[in-house]
Every structure is written in structure tokens, then in C-alpha cells.
């Protein structure tokens, strides 16, 4: 009887020694990465703002506010890291990745920006639509090209004709048609 | 009576043919995006902002507001007909609304949603008209210290009422505040974080940033789990409610309106929280609670009234204090700044036609939405069948031209692309992008008021606690924070969002 009285009763399933050794295990890798990212963002802003004059609280320089915020962001990032070591991740939906879609959807606008001045609005729009449409697994070429032609025509009508944006329908890279417009 | 002359002024602005037209366009677009898959009001408003630059401020804001509350109506249509909420605020409507549709009562559910929303919209408009002027009058006496504390309270509360991790939401606010400092420092004229890029001297363009983190980023996430949706209900009949129905929805509509109006005013509240909370409340106190989940008409009436009331009263802090409570309001603040209007308590006295015009337009817009939604329901059912693989390329195309048209420069297109990557990386790490946008919009104002306050007090930070008003605002912020951190409330908060 005295044996059990002298022992501390832990709740079922809890073992102290193992818990202690596993203290520095990353329990929530998503949060761990997130916290580290926030610390890095803070460091980046401090580094790129190192020449800004910080000043003091009475005469705040241009660097005061961003530097204080960067330090705050790093502190929050550190807390997130600490939390990720202590608290287990909740079971959620498994992460799905679709690299083809990310690649196309992000490169689309960049390509649009690079080609706009040279190709003009109509061909750029057509290429953008057809290009990003292939990111979908339900896309088919006929639909994409029709949609691209339709949107190219609409955007030229709306933006270069009606709202007179300084961009021509066909740019200098397209020799013959470009001169007609 | 002052309020009547003000409303008269508002009516004469809102009922100008041009403003009626833009209000109608806004409601139409709002309903459409509510119905269309994978396109939310934040992304749409960001996308359409460049087009409104050329409009007069009244028309621009009336149209943008119409998109926002129009989306509340449209979102319920998809929730009821195909069990897919078009908007986050219609998630709970799908529970009972879809069951009603399966029982052949789709028409009654749609009519309940539309009429409940209309009633709630009317009440919220009156509330806005009555509550806004005195609130703005109080805020007129605010000095820099009070303004700083008010913004801190706004930011803290917006985090407290949102879903997800508090720490991460704070990280996003701070990140947004830092991004707001990019560009020329107003006080000293020193360029900050511009890397010798001339386009950055004016700061990051908030339209490009929000199109990236909301518009393009949403597409990236939607393409991950892409699936075609099927429309079960092809024809909707029986829009008339029976006397029995009307009897059952009166109390839920009233309760939903009251709760929604209150939650909408709180920063971070708005439509989504309102609908969740009112559904949870009805489920507990309704005499027909046994029917919930099996097609109870109360389960449609209450959240739909609440989300519309909440959507509309969330304009109160934005219009009177210049403090946006949710990302859509942040975009509205941005739209005002672009139109040359300084958001804040001065708007009512400096731009009475704009302020009262917007309020009256909300009521007329709600009326248009009832007409748009009930007789034209067939059109929206057709729109449900637009496949996403045709929709998203069009959104991307529109975002690209929109970003280009801000300054007629492709630089903003690259900013948009860059922020879509940042936003997507953040969402993969489960950081919500909404607080980032709030921080980004409030950053410059927060810094300016902080610096002015500290200059007044000669560097003594106690200025923030010496003014009673500023002190009470800060105490309120601490109380809100403490409440959220306390275990019992945080458990309730989880419940409210998971239910």
C-alpha cells in the first residue's frame, strides 16, 4: 500500500522522461518554417534598412519605425518557433501540390509584363490566356484558344479603344499587322 | 430633423441616374462573383479598382460597396442550390439551405435568404445613418496619440475575431506594417527600401499587392484541388413563402439582424463571423432546433440576415474613423485615398454627398438585389455552370491589365506576380493574408501618428496613457486580447469557426 502512496500519479499515456528528451523535437514543421521565415524577413528589413537613420523616440528618424517593427516581427517569429517545438500540429487535410499550375500561373503575368511592349495587347493576351489555361487539368486547346481570342478582342476594345490606355493592340514585334493599327 | 435633410441629400446623390447605374453594376457584379466559383469579393474589388479610378468618387464607392454586399446575396444562391458556398459568409447557409433544396423547397430557401437579407440591410442602413455622425464627432477631437491607440485597438481586435493562430495573425500585421514603410518617408523625404527603383519611391501599390495576395493566390490554391461541380437543381420554382414559413422566420431574422449588426461594427467582425454566430445561436434557442441540419428554414433566415447586416455595419468604423475592419474595407479605404479623400471622421463633414449618398445607395442596392435575385434566379443558375477552367484564365488576364493600368507601367504587374508568390508561400505556412493587408493600409497612418504624438510629448511614451481617451482605447485592446487568450473563450472561438 505504501508503495503506491509514494508514487506520483501521472495521467495515463504521459511519460515524463520521454517528454523531456523530446523537448527540442519539431512538433509542427509548418509553424517552425513559418517562424523562421518571419525571423528572416525581420533580418532582411533590418539589413536593407541599415543605412536609415533610426534617431530616438523624440526625433524619430526614417529608420525608427521599420527597425522597431522588424525587431517585433523577429520576436513573434521566435515565439512561433518556440510554439512549434512545444505544441503538436493538428491533423489537417494532407497538403496537395500542383507545381505545373504554380509555375504557369506565376510565370503568366511575368511573361505578360515582358512581352506587352513588344507584342502589343492582343497577342500578349492571347498567349497569356492559352498559357495559363493549360494549368487546369480540364483545359482543352480549342476552348483555351477561343477564350484567348475572345478576351484579346474584348481587352483591346475596352482598354485601348475605350479607356485609351497607352498600349497598342499590336506591337513593333509583329511587323505587318502592327503597322496597320 | 437633421437626419432627414441628410438622408435627402443622400437620396439626391444615390438616385442620380449615373450613380444608380453604377450601383446596379456593382450589385450585378457582386451577385455574379458570389455565384461564380472561386472568386471572392476581396479579389474582385481589387481587380476592379483600376477601372474606378476614372469615375467620380461617389460612383466609384457606390459601385464597390455594391459588389461587397451583392456578393452576400450571390453566395447564398450557390450554397442553397449546390451545397457550395460562394462566399465564406454563406458556409452555414449551405447546411440547411441545401437540405431545403433537396426537399424541393429551393425557391422558399432563396426567397427567405433574399427577404431576410433585405430586411437586415434596411435595418443596418438606418443604424449606419444614426450611429455614424455621433461616432465621427467623437473622433474629430482625436489627437495623434488617440489615433495611434485607436489603430492599435483596431488591429488587435481584427486579429482577435478572425480565425486561426493569434501569433501568426500578429506576424502578418507587423509584416504588413513594414511593407507599408516601403517608399519615400513623408517626414524626412528619405527613400526607404526602394533599391534605386524609381517606381518604388511612391511605395508598393496596394492594388497590385492585393491583386497578388488575394486574386492570383486564390487561383493557385483553387487549382490544387480542382474538381468540376455539378448542378443538381436545374429549375427553381415556388418562390412564394407560405404563411407558416413567414411565421417561422420572423424571430430568426430579427435576432440575426441584431447580432449581425453588432458583430459587423467590431473590427475583424463582418459578415462571416456574423453568420456563424447567428447560426450557432439559432441552433441553441430555436423552438424547431430538432429540424436543424435537415432543412430548417430558420437555419437559412438567421445567418443570411446576419451576414448582410454585418457586411453593412462593417462600413461604420471605416466611414467614421477611417479604420478598416476587414480586407474589403481596407480596399475601400485605399479607393478613397486614390480618389483624393482622406478617410477619417472628416469625411462626413467634408464630403456629405459622398457619405450620405453611399448610405442611401446601400438601401437602394439591397432593393435592386432582391429584384435581381428572385425573378432572375434562372440566369444565376445558368451562371453556376461556368466551368472554372474557363474562368481563372480570364481572371488572370484581367488582373494583368488591371495592374498595368494603375500607372501604365508593367512594374506593377511584376509587383502583383511577386506578391502572389509571397501570399502563396504564406498561405502554405498557414498565415492568413487578410491582416497583412490591414497592416499595409494602416502602416503609414500609424507611423505618422506615432511620430507626431512623440514629437508633442518630446519623446515621452507616457502620452499614450495620460490622455484618458487614448488610455481607455489601449485598455480596451488589452481586454480584447486577454479575452481571446483566456482558455474558455478561445475554445468557444474554435467552436464557432468549426461548426
Amino acid at each position: 500500500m505504501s508503495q503506491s502512496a509514494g508514487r506520483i500519479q501521472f495521467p495515463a499515456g504521459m511519460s515524463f522522461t520521454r517528454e523531456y528528451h523530446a523537448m527540442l523535437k519539431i512538433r509542427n514543421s509548418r509553424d517552425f518554417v513559418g517562424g523562421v521565415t518571419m525571423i528572416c524577413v525581420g533580418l532582411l528589413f533590418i539589413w536593407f534598412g541599415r543605412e536609415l537613420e533610426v534617431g530616438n523616440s523624440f526625433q524619430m528618424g526614417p529608420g525608427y519605425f521599420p527597425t522597431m517593427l522588424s525587431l517585433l516581427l523577429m520576436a513573434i517569429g521566435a515565439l512561433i518557433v518556440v510554439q512549434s517545438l512545444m505544441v503538436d500540429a493538428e491533423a489537417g487535410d494532407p497538403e496537395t501540390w500542383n507545381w505545373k499550375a504554380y509555375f504557369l500561373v506565376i510565370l503568366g503575368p511575368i511573361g505578360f509584363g515582358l512581352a506587352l511592349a513588344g507584342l502589343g495587347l492582343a497577342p500578349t493576351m492571347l498567349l497569356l490566356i492559352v498559357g495559363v489555361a493549360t494549368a487546369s487539368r480540364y483545359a482543352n486547346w480549342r476552348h483555351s484558344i477561343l477564350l484567348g481570342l475572345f478576351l484579346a478582342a474584348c481587352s483591346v476594345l475596352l482598354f485601348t479603344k475605350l479607356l485609351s490606355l497607352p498600349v497598342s493592340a499590336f506591337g513593333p514585334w509583329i511587323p505587318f499587322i502592327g503597322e496597320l493599327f | 430633423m437633421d437626419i432627414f435633410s441628410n438622408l435627402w441629400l443622400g437620396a439626391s446623390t444615390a438616385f442620380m441616374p449615373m450613380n444608380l447605374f453604377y450601383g446596379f453594376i456593382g450589385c450585378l457584379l457582386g451577385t455574379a462573383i458570389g455565384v461564380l466559383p472561386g472568386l471572392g469579393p476581396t479579389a474582385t474589388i481589387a481587380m476592379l479598382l483600376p477601372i474606378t479610378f476614372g469615375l467620380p468618387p461617389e460612383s466609384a464607392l457606390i459601385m464597390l460597396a455594391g459588389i461587397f454586399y451583392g456578393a452576400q446575396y450571390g453566395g447564398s444562391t450557390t450554397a442553397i442550390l449546390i451545397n457550395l458556398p460562394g462566399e465564406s459568409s454563406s458556409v452555414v447557409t449551405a447546411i440547411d439551405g441545401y437540405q431545403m433544396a433537396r426537399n424541393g423547397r429551393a425557391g422558399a430557401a432563396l426567397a427567405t435568404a433574399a427577404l431576410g437579407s433585405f430586411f437586415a440591410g434596411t435595418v443596418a442602413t438606418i443604424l449606419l445613418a444614426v450611429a455614424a455622425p455621433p461616432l465621427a464627432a467623437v473622433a474629430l477631437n482625436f489627437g495623434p496619440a488617440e489615433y495611434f491607440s485607436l489603430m492599435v485597438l483596431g488591429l488587435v481586435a481584427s486579429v482577435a475575431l478572425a480565425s486561426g493562430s493569434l501569433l501568426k495573425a500578429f506576424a502578418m500585421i507587423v509584416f504588413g506594417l513594414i511593407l507599408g514603410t516601403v517608399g519615400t518617408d513623408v517626414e524626412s523625404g528619405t527613400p526607404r527600401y526602394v533599391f534605386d527603383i524609381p517606381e518604388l519611391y511612391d511605395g508598393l501599390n496596394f492594388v497590385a499587392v492585393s491583386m497578388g495576395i488575394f486574386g492570383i493566390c486564390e487561383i493557385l490554391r483553387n487549382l490544387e484541388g480542382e474538381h468540376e461541380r455539378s448542378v443538381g437543381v436545374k429549375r427553381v420554382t415556388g418562390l412564394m413563402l407560405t404563411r407558416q414559413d413567414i411565421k417561422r422566420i420572423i424571430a430568426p431574422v430579427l435576432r440575426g439582424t441584431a447580432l449581425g449588426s453588432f458583430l459587423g461594427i467590431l473590427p475583424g467582425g463582418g459578415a462571416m463571423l456574423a453568420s456563424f454566430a447567428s447560426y450557432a445561436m439559432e441552433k441553441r434557442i430555436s423552438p424547431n432546433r430538432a429540424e436543424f441540419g435537415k432543412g430548417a428554414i430558420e437555419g437559412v433566415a438567421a445567418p443570411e440576415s446576419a451576414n448582410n447586416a454585418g457586411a453593412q455595419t462593417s462600413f461604420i468604423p471605416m466611414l467614421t474613423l477611417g479604420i478598416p475592419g476587414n480586407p474589403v474595407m481596407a480596399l475601400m479605404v485605399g479607393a478613397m485615398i486614390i480618389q483624393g479623400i482622406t478617410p477619417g471622421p472628416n469625411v462626413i463633414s467634408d464630403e456629405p454627398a459622398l457619405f450620405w449618398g453611399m448610405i442611401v445607395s446601400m438601401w437602394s442596392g439591397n432593393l435592386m438585389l432582391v429584384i435581381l435575385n428572385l425573378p432572375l434566379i434562372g440566369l444565376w443558375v445558368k451562371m453556376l455552370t461556368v466551368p472554372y477552367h474557363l474562368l481563372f484564365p480570364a481572371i488572370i488576364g484581367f488582373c494583368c491589365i488591371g495592374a498595368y493600368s494603375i500607372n501604365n507601367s508593367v512594374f506593377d504587374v511584376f509587383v502583383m506576380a511577386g506578391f502572389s508568390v509571397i501570399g502563396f508561400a504564406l498561405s502554405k505556412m498557414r498565415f492568413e493574408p487578410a491582416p497583412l493587408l490591414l497592416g499595409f493600409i494602416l502602416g503609414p497612418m500609424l507611423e505618422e501618428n506615432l511620430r507626431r504624438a512623440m514629437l508633442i510629448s518630446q519623446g515621452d511614451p507616457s502620452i499614450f496613457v495620460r490622455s484618458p481617451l487614448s488610455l481607455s482605447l489601449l485598455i480596451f485592446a488589452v481586454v480584447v486580447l486577454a479575452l481571446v487568450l483566456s482558455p474558455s473563450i478561445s475554445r468557444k472561438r474554435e467552436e464557432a469557426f468549426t461548426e
Side-chain angles (χ1 to χ4, degrees):
Chain A
M1 289 301 119
S2 61
Q3 207 181 6
S4 77
R7 250 194 1 226
I8 304 162
Q9 293 286 316
F10 290 118
M14 189 171 171
S15 129
F16 237 72
T17 45
R18 222 203 288 143
E19 196 85 344
Y20 183 76
H21 282 299
M23 209 48 173
L24 285 178
K25 202 186 87 186
I26 299 169
R27 284 151 189 275
N28 186 340
S29 51
R30 191 189 283 139
D31 278 13
F32 183 80
V33 175
V36 171
T37 309
M38 289 304 124
I39 296 174
C40 293
V41 169
L43 282 174
L44 268 179
F45 273 91
I46 289 181
W47 172 254
F48 286 117
R50 66 193 181 281
E51 313 222 307
L52 297 173
E53 188 203 337
V54 173
N56 55 40
S57 63
F58 177 29
Q59 287 284 331
M60 288 184 194
Y64 190 92
F65 194 62
T67 309
M68 291 300 149
L69 288 174
S70 303
L71 292 173
L72 184 60
L73 187 61
M74 287 163 68
I76 298 175
L79 284 176
I80 295 175
V81 168
V82 170
Q83 204 182 34
S84 78
L85 298 175
M86 316 250 292
V87 184
D88 280 309
E90 280 173 41
D93 299 330
E95 207 62 56
T96 47
W97 300 83
N98 185 348
W99 289 103
K100 184 184 149 203
Y102 307 153
F103 189 74
L104 287 165
V105 170
I106 290 164
L107 278 192
I110 295 175
F112 177 92
L114 293 175
L116 187 62
L119 282 178
L121 185 57
T124 317
M125 199 61 175
L126 177 63
L127 287 177
L128 172 77
I129 299 297
V130 175
V132 297
T134 51
S136 165
R137 72 175 76 119
Y138 298 101
N140 70 58
W141 288 104
R142 215 166 60 91
H143 281 177
S144 308
I145 292 172
L146 283 177
L147 179 71
L149 287 173
F150 174 70
L151 288 175
C154 284
S155 56
V156 167
L157 209 64
L158 182 64
F159 289 94
T160 58
K161 301 285 178 242
L162 280 176
L163 295 172
S164 41
L165 243 59
V167 56
S168 50
F170 293 94
W173 291 355
I174 299 185
F176 300 111
I177 319 171
E179 285 153 23
L180 291 175
F181 283 84
Chain B
M1 281 298 279
D2 215 20
I3 186 153
F4 289 113
S5 64
N6 285 330
L7 285 176
W8 177 248
L9 172 70
S12 58
T13 313
F15 292 126
M16 263 161 51
M18 190 176 67
N19 290 337
L20 271 181
F21 172 73
Y22 283 111
F24 177 75
I25 295 288
C27 293
L28 196 69
L29 280 170
T31 314
I33 57 150
V35 173
L36 288 171
L39 189 58
T42 318
T44 315
I45 291 178
M47 219 158 73
L48 292 177
L49 270 175
I51 294 186
T52 65
F53 291 172
L55 299 178
E58 294 86 17
S59 310
L61 288 167
I62 284 174
M63 179 171 132
L64 294 174
I67 295 174
F68 179 49
Y69 53 78
Q72 313 301 328
Y73 278 75
S76 61
T77 307
T78 50
I80 291 167
L81 292 183
I82 54 171
N83 199 18
L84 266 188
E87 281 324 308
S88 55
S89 58
S90 310
V91 171
V92 288
T93 310
I95 304 172
D96 279 291
Y98 183 60
Q99 291 304 323
M100 282 181 76
R102 285 186 59 184
N103 300 340
R105 306 212 59 213
L110 289 167
T112 305
L115 296 176
S117 296
F118 177 66
F119 174 79
T122 309
V123 172
T125 303
I126 296 169
L127 191 67
L128 189 53
V130 173
L135 206 59
V138 172
L140 273 178
N141 304 321
F142 280 18
E146 286 82 10
Y147 246 102
F148 178 83
S149 305
L150 179 68
M151 277 185 252
V152 170
L153 170 63
L155 287 173
V156 167
S158 74
V159 165
L161 292 174
S163 62
S165 151
L166 266 185
L167 266 180
K168 287 178 154 182
F170 272 117
M172 283 301 95
I173 286 185
V174 176
F175 190 18
L177 290 171
I178 300 177
L179 288 173
T181 66
V182 173
T184 310
D185 173 31
V186 187
E187 313 244 326
S188 64
T190 321
R192 297 189 284 195
Y193 309 112
V194 296
F195 306 104
D196 291 326
I197 301 169
E199 284 92 345
L200 273 182
Y201 279 79
D202 288 335
L204 290 163
N205 188 287
F206 93 100
V207 180
V209 170
S210 39
M211 279 202 274
I213 60 171
F214 288 104
I216 307 285
C217 190
E218 235 171 54
I219 292 174
L220 290 172
R221 269 179 299 190
N222 287 336
L223 284 177
E224 281 178 350
E226 198 192 1
H227 48 80
E228 300 287 89
R229 54 188 199 175
S230 57
V231 182
V233 183
K234 292 273 187 277
R235 279 179 57 84
V236 179
T237 47
L239 285 170
M240 292 306 283
L241 294 172
T242 62
R243 189 165 297 164
Q244 171 75 15
D245 288 336
I246 295 170
K247 228 187 235 162
R248 280 178 62 171
I249 62 171
I250 288 176
V253 165
L254 288 174
R255 283 192 289 259
T257 304
L259 189 65
S261 306
F262 171 69
L263 289 175
I265 301 175
L266 301 180
M272 183 180 148
L273 181 72
S275 61
F276 277 79
S278 85
Y279 187 79
M281 183 173 87
E282 281 309 313
K283 215 169 143 185
R284 225 153 270 171
I285 61 173
S286 169
N288 301 316
R289 56 182 164 272
E291 272 181 55
F292 271 67
K294 302 188 199 90
I297 198 165
E298 291 90 346
V300 175
E304 280 304 309
S305 322
N307 71 22
N308 208 44
Q312 239 143 305
T313 53
S314 65
F315 279 87
I316 292 180
M318 192 278 284
L319 281 173
T320 57
L321 310 172
I323 306 281
N326 56 43
V328 173
M329 291 305 126
L331 289 172
M332 300 286 279
V333 167
M336 281 177 144
I337 295 171
I338 289 171
Q339 295 279 1
I341 298 162
T342 317
N346 288 318
V347 171
I348 298 184
S349 47
D350 293 356
E351 306 275 347
L354 169 82
F355 179 83
W356 294 102
M358 253 184 99
I359 290 185
V360 175
S361 86
M362 285 181 191
W363 185 78
S364 64
N366 271 290
L367 193 62
M368 285 186 218
L369 280 165
V370 172
I371 298 166
L372 268 177
N373 272 273
L374 293 183
L376 291 181
I377 187 70
L379 179 76
W380 305 118
V381 173
K382 282 231 172 59
M383 206 172 223
L384 284 174
T385 54
V386 173
Y388 192 64
H389 71 260
L390 291 182
L391 190 63
F392 84 87
I395 301 171
I396 296 176
F398 214 77
C399 281
C400 286
I401 308 186
Y404 171 81
S405 70
I406 303 166
N407 290 316
N408 295 325
S409 112
V410 290
F411 180 76
D412 288 314
V413 182
F414 297 136
V415 170
M416 179 187 82
F419 271 90
S420 65
V421 178
I422 294 176
F424 186 66
L426 290 172
S427 83
K428 275 286 176 197
M429 294 182 266
R430 295 289 186 276
F431 285 99
E432 286 285 326
L436 186 143
L437 192 66
L438 294 189
F440 181 70
I441 296 273
L442 284 179
M445 291 191 250
L446 195 69
E447 180 179 17
E448 196 186 323
N449 283 296
L450 173 69
R451 282 162 92 166
R452 271 204 227 145
M454 292 305 252
L455 215 64
I456 293 170
S457 74
Q458 308 201 325
D460 180 7
S462 73
I463 182 168
F464 296 110
V465 290
R466 261 186 290 127
S467 139
L469 207 54
S470 163
L471 177 66
S472 37
L473 287 167
L474 287 176
I475 289 178
F476 196 53
V478 173
V479 169
V480 169
L481 206 57
L483 279 178
V484 178
L485 288 175
S486 79
S488 64
I489 302 267
S490 67
R491 217 176 306 123
K492 280 232 176 64
R493 181 164 158 262
E494 295 289 308
E495 264 172 38
F497 281 105
T498 48
E499 224 169 308

